[in-house]
Amino acid sequence: MDEIKTKIEKLRQQLNYHSERYYNDDSPEIEDYEYDMMMRELKNLELLYPQYDSADSPTKRVGGKADNTFEPVEHAVRMESLQDAFSKEELVDFDKRVSSNVNGAKYVVEPKIDGLSVSLEYRDGLFYRGSTRGNGDIGEDVSANLRVIHNVPLKLNESIPYIEVRGEVYMPKRSFEKVVDRQILNDEKPFKNPRNAAAGSLRQKDSNITSNRGLDIFVFNIQQIEGKELHSHKESLDYLKTLGFNTVPFYTQVSSIDDAIDEINKIGEERGNLEFDIDGAVIKVDDFNQRIMMGSTAKYPKWAIAFKYPPEEKQTKLIDIEITVGRTGVLTPTAVLESVHLAGTTVSRATLHNQDFIRDKGIAIGDIVTVRKAGDIIPEVLCVNEHNSNSIYEFPKHCPSCSEPVYRDEDEAAIRCINPECPAQLLRNLIHFCSREAMDIDGLGPTIIETFVNCGMITKTYDIFTLDPNKICQLEGFKQTSANNIIKSVEKCKDNDLSKLIFALGIRHIGAKAAKLLSDHFKNIDAIMTASVDSILQIEGFGEIMAQSVVDYFSTDSARELVEKLKEFNVNTESKAVVNDNRFEGMTFVLTGTLPTLKRNEAGAIIESFGGKTSSSVSKKTTFVLAGEEAGSKLDKAKALGIQIISEDEFMGMIK
């Protein structure tokens, strides 16, 4: 048994070492697969020998499901906000107030991290709870999500009886860029700035999502402590470092307000070069006894103040406007500028948002414009200072990537290309086409698709059906077996129902359910391609925007060419929906909870085969609610509305 214990401890040491090399040093020494196999081995050993389990094991960082709701946490020590200052004069006034209460105060100056404030609590050196600031008095328990943040220590370097610290969870700039790229690729609305991204990521119901967002933390304060006596803020920060916390990256003790202001100016000059966002700098009275003497107002402590840096703005010349096509087909204008130094970096490009923004501001090439960094991350054009004689810039009528006509929906500002074969959108469209709800091609995940696109094996969607296993084997990391499995999956998908193909095409506003309705109503793809808006509107559940989107999509030559190519490769374009009878005609079912034997999609298919339909929400139009275990709020709403609730057994009786 001693050998097992030694092996477990060695695995933990190795995993912690390689995790440090990967996350903090950016120089991994082993491949991800090798790391994952070590992690799996450790998990298995801990399951087999629970007597050697430990709260600070690397396996405890693996994401799991958080509760459906976050439990409230009452803060024993109020998590106060700070008074803001925007000028040197306000800082001098702060110093006068301090001097009127205490003598010879020293200050600590530190950056104000732009993130989400949290509390971390430890008992006997082990992390046991973490919570958000909330309203300062009551926050939310987000322990599961905080555990997966690499720099949140699960075990401290000293077994101190109790300590509560305050920190700021933030998203590094490089992590933010990766998350936004991923959101754009998945046709999701991207986060506006790292602060919002951090807040949204920390409050995920599934901590696996949190763990993939690249969050980090800086700890900057001790809220409570037992078993250790500390006298000043600088001493406490130094002590936090010895415990293993990732403290604010730099902090300086000064003896006067003039020195504090000098330090604030130094931080301001460097903020553009930092890998994280700061929205200011904080001055704190260093001595804890002096803090007690000064106390707090109802809103903030009297012994601290936050200086907020004003957004830096510069004027420069707009040389050109470039239009790029994103992976979702949206045309995005970018200003090409005469280079200007702004917030610590040289800026030569800035966002112009969309055509409405350009028109409202009256922007033309050659204008002198004001530029600033939005959230100190993305440069943006604010306004025109001096017009030239050129007319206001207008978007092109055709896609700059594929030359197809571009469209603008009435309900949004974006102008987009809807060509499914547009080169700029190829990767995103392919990933969607192969996804599980679409053509469900096992083995063609995002990474492999990107590899095939980059090496030129796929340049059009239908190239999927021309993949050669022998050529795949020539690529690094592929073997004959994996290549053959991909080809088998490609062949298998040809027999899918028409509804999966329609969804796979990625038509705007047409999800999996709408694709099924189209397929069941028109029976084959030719009928859908020639359908008018009015004929599509005959389908219950379709509105004007959805119907027009279908017509617009199939009006393009590229969409029609794609369909013809798919037919040549023997991809099924007929509906396979089988209607046993119409006993559920006119009825709407809502499925909720976990059914004993049926999956929800299986139950939904049965309902549709008998002429009924399913809905995701309970309303007065609902006929039945088919409920399983842990049904939740839908069951409560059904009871309140008097909707008939049935079990799986009752449902099976209805279809006999």
Side-chain angles (χ1 to χ4, degrees):
M1 296 295 282
D2 285 341
E3 291 179 2
I4 297 296
K5 184 179 180 181
T6 301
K7 188 171 185 179
I8 288 174
E9 289 176 348
K10 185 177 180 181
L11 280 169
R12 288 173 181 161
Q13 290 172 0
Q14 289 175 321
L15 286 164
N16 284 330
Y17 171 80
H18 289 299
S19 182
E20 185 77 7
R21 295 292 289 167
Y22 181 86
Y23 287 102
N24 284 355
D25 300 334
D26 286 330
S27 56
E29 296 178 358
I30 61 175
E31 295 295 327
D32 289 354
Y33 179 81
E34 190 176 348
Y35 180 92
D36 292 340
M37 291 303 99
M38 289 169 63
M39 182 69 78
R40 176 176 289 185
E41 184 181 7
L42 179 57
K43 283 183 186 177
N44 290 336
L45 287 172
E46 288 177 347
L47 286 172
L48 290 171
Y49 304 97
Q51 65 269 35
Y52 299 134
D53 199 4
S54 174
D56 65 323
S57 172
T59 59
K60 299 300 186 289
R61 293 192 185 278
V62 177
K65 295 286 183 181
D67 291 336
N68 288 332
T69 56
F70 297 113
E71 292 295 325
V73 175
E74 187 171 351
H75 300 304
V77 176
R78 193 167 193 269
M79 295 179 70
E80 298 174 305
S81 57
L82 293 174
Q83 180 186 5
D84 291 335
F86 298 93
S87 68
K88 178 181 176 181
E89 289 72 25
E90 290 174 277
L91 297 179
V92 171
D93 288 342
F94 164 74
D95 179 59
K96 290 177 180 177
R97 292 194 297 272
V98 172
S99 299
S100 67
N101 285 276
V102 297
N103 296 320
K106 292 183 179 180
Y107 298 117
V108 171
V109 183
E110 61 194 51
K112 187 175 183 296
I113 312 300
D114 193 13
L116 187 73
S117 200
V118 297
S119 159
L120 307 176
E121 296 178 77
Y122 294 78
R123 293 196 184 279
D124 298 321
L126 297 177
F127 174 73
Y128 87 95
R129 186 169 67 176
S131 53
T132 61
R133 176 179 177 272
N135 63 6
D137 295 312
I138 298 175
E140 294 178 314
D141 190 327
V142 288
S143 303
N145 291 345
L146 285 166
R147 282 182 179 274
V148 301
I149 298 176
H150 177 70
N151 274 324
V152 172
L154 303 180
K155 181 180 181 181
L156 303 181
N157 295 331
E158 182 181 324
S159 185
I160 189 166
Y162 176 79
I163 186 171
E164 179 188 4
V165 301
R166 182 171 175 177
E168 198 82 1
V169 171
Y170 70 97
M171 183 173 285
K173 293 177 183 178
R174 58 184 173 182
S175 297
F176 175 68
E177 291 168 0
K178 289 179 182 177
V179 169
V180 169
D181 285 345
R182 198 181 309 141
Q183 288 176 317
I184 292 173
L185 182 63
N186 295 330
D187 205 8
E188 300 169 356
K189 185 178 180 180
F191 290 120
K192 289 185 177 180
N193 55 58
R195 198 272 170 198
N196 289 348
S201 301
L202 189 62
R203 299 192 71 258
Q204 289 291 325
K205 302 298 184 185
D206 184 352
S207 57
N208 285 300
I209 297 175
T210 305
S211 67
N212 291 325
R213 293 283 175 83
L215 296 180
D216 210 329
I217 187 171
F218 286 127
V219 172
F220 59 85
N221 202 57
I222 293 178
Q223 301 291 94
Q224 304 180 77
I225 189 168
E226 296 175 8
K228 178 76 175 181
E229 189 173 342
L230 299 166
H231 303 93
S232 72
H233 184 57
K234 184 178 184 303
E235 181 188 4
S236 71
L237 290 174
D238 293 339
Y239 178 62
L240 286 172
K241 281 185 179 179
T242 67
L243 290 178
F245 287 107
N246 191 37
T247 62
V248 280
F250 39 88
Y251 50 92
T252 306
Q253 185 191 67
V254 297
S255 300
S256 69
I257 194 64
D258 289 334
D259 290 342
I261 291 171
D262 287 343
E263 193 62 32
I264 286 174
N265 291 335
K266 288 178 185 177
I267 295 173
E269 290 170 1
E270 286 298 314
R271 63 177 173 144
N273 301 321
L274 301 174
E275 180 47 35
F276 49 88
D277 264 4
I278 63 172
D279 57 354
V282 183
I283 302 176
K284 299 176 181 177
V285 170
D286 189 33
D287 187 276
F288 286 164
N289 285 329
Q290 291 180 338
R291 289 186 181 186
I292 293 171
M293 292 172 63
M294 294 189 66
S296 299
T297 69
K299 293 183 178 180
Y300 44 73
K302 296 179 181 179
W303 43 262
I305 194 167
F307 178 79
K308 293 295 190 73
Y309 296 111
E312 189 179 0
E313 299 177 0
K314 292 282 182 70
Q315 290 187 17
T316 187
K317 185 176 183 179
L318 175 62
I319 300 171
D320 197 5
I321 295 176
E322 292 181 356
I323 300 292
T324 56
V325 184
R327 289 173 175 172
T328 61
V330 174
L331 273 62
T332 302
T334 299
V336 181
L337 309 166
E338 285 187 353
S339 296
V340 60
H341 195 72
L342 189 64
T345 59
T346 300
V347 171
S348 60
R349 301 170 71 81
T351 181
L352 287 167
H353 302 292
N354 52 52
Q355 179 68 76
D356 288 350
F357 178 85
I358 292 172
R359 194 173 290 127
D360 291 345
K361 301 292 183 183
I363 296 172
I365 294 172
D367 287 350
I368 303 299
V369 296
T370 295
V371 185
R372 79 170 176 196
K373 279 194 173 182
D376 290 329
I377 295 289
I378 305 166
E380 66 176 350
V381 173
L382 283 180
C383 61
V384 175
N385 301 96
E386 183 182 328
H387 289 285
N388 75 350
S389 58
N390 291 336
S391 56
I392 295 173
Y393 181 84
E394 292 289 336
F395 268 49
K397 303 299 182 185
H398 292 82
C399 173
S401 178
C402 67
S403 300
E404 287 280 348
V406 295
Y407 297 83
R408 173 172 176 166
D409 290 340
E410 293 181 3
D411 60 337
E412 62 177 27
I415 295 173
R416 70 176 69 236
C417 170
I418 62 171
N419 174 13
E421 297 300 291
C422 177
Q425 303 172 65
L426 178 63
L427 181 60
R428 177 258 176 186
N429 290 340
L430 285 168
I431 291 171
H432 174 75
F433 188 87
C434 299
S435 64
R436 181 160 305 207
E437 276 196 297
M439 294 302 279
D440 192 15
I441 305 178
D442 191 32
L444 280 185
T447 303
I448 291 177
I449 291 172
E450 190 166 6
T451 299
F452 290 172
V453 169
N454 290 340
C455 72
M457 290 177 66
I458 298 179
T459 59
K460 299 275 189 179
T461 301
Y462 52 76
D463 286 343
I464 290 170
F465 300 97
T466 67
L467 289 172
D468 185 339
N470 295 322
K471 290 183 179 178
I472 294 174
C473 287
Q474 294 174 16
L475 299 176
E476 185 179 351
F478 289 90
K479 295 182 179 179
Q480 191 67 50
T481 302
S482 58
N484 289 339
N485 287 338
I486 290 173
I487 301 304
K488 286 179 183 177
S489 295
V490 170
E491 287 300 312
K492 181 182 176 183
C493 86
K494 293 180 180 180
D495 198 38
N496 285 340
D497 182 57
L498 171 62
S499 61
K500 292 183 77 68
L501 174 59
I502 295 298
F503 178 62
L505 294 176
I507 304 170
R508 288 268 296 156
H509 307 299
I510 303 301
K513 190 167 184 178
K516 184 75 166 60
L517 292 173
L518 278 170
S519 173
D520 292 350
H521 183 82
F522 288 104
K523 307 302 182 186
N524 63 72
I525 201 164
D526 291 325
I528 297 174
M529 289 173 67
T530 57
S532 65
V533 170
D534 289 340
S535 63
I536 297 173
L537 286 173
Q538 300 303 310
I539 305 173
E540 187 176 352
F542 265 74
E544 187 80 32
I545 291 174
M546 294 169 68
Q548 188 63 55
S549 186
V550 174
V551 172
D552 287 345
Y553 177 86
F554 286 113
S555 69
T556 63
D557 293 338
S558 51
R560 292 176 175 275
E561 179 192 356
L562 173 58
V563 171
E564 290 307 311
K565 285 289 186 181
L566 293 174
K567 288 180 180 178
E568 289 178 18
F569 290 114
N570 297 316
V571 176
N572 175 57
T573 57
E574 303 282 335
S575 172
K576 293 186 174 184
V578 176
V579 177
N580 296 313
D581 59 50
N582 292 320
R583 70 182 70 180
F584 292 155
E585 186 175 0
M587 298 182 185
T588 300
F589 290 71
V590 172
L591 284 63
T592 182
T594 304
L595 300 174
T597 62
L598 290 174
K599 294 179 180 178
R600 287 196 201 178
N601 61 336
E602 293 172 341
I606 292 171
I607 291 167
E608 291 170 359
S609 73
F610 287 102
K613 65 177 184 177
T614 61
S615 174
S616 59
S617 59
V618 177
S619 69
K620 292 180 180 179
K621 295 182 179 180
T622 304
T623 312
F624 297 104
V625 170
L626 175 54
E629 292 184 7
E630 300 178 0
S633 60
K634 291 180 183 178
L635 185 61
D636 296 335
K637 188 172 183 181
K639 290 177 180 177
L641 292 174
I643 307 297
Q644 186 173 348
I645 300 163
I646 59 174
S647 65
E648 184 182 300
D649 285 342
E650 291 172 306
F651 175 70
M652 297 305 288
M654 294 168 70
I655 63 174
K656 283 183 179 178

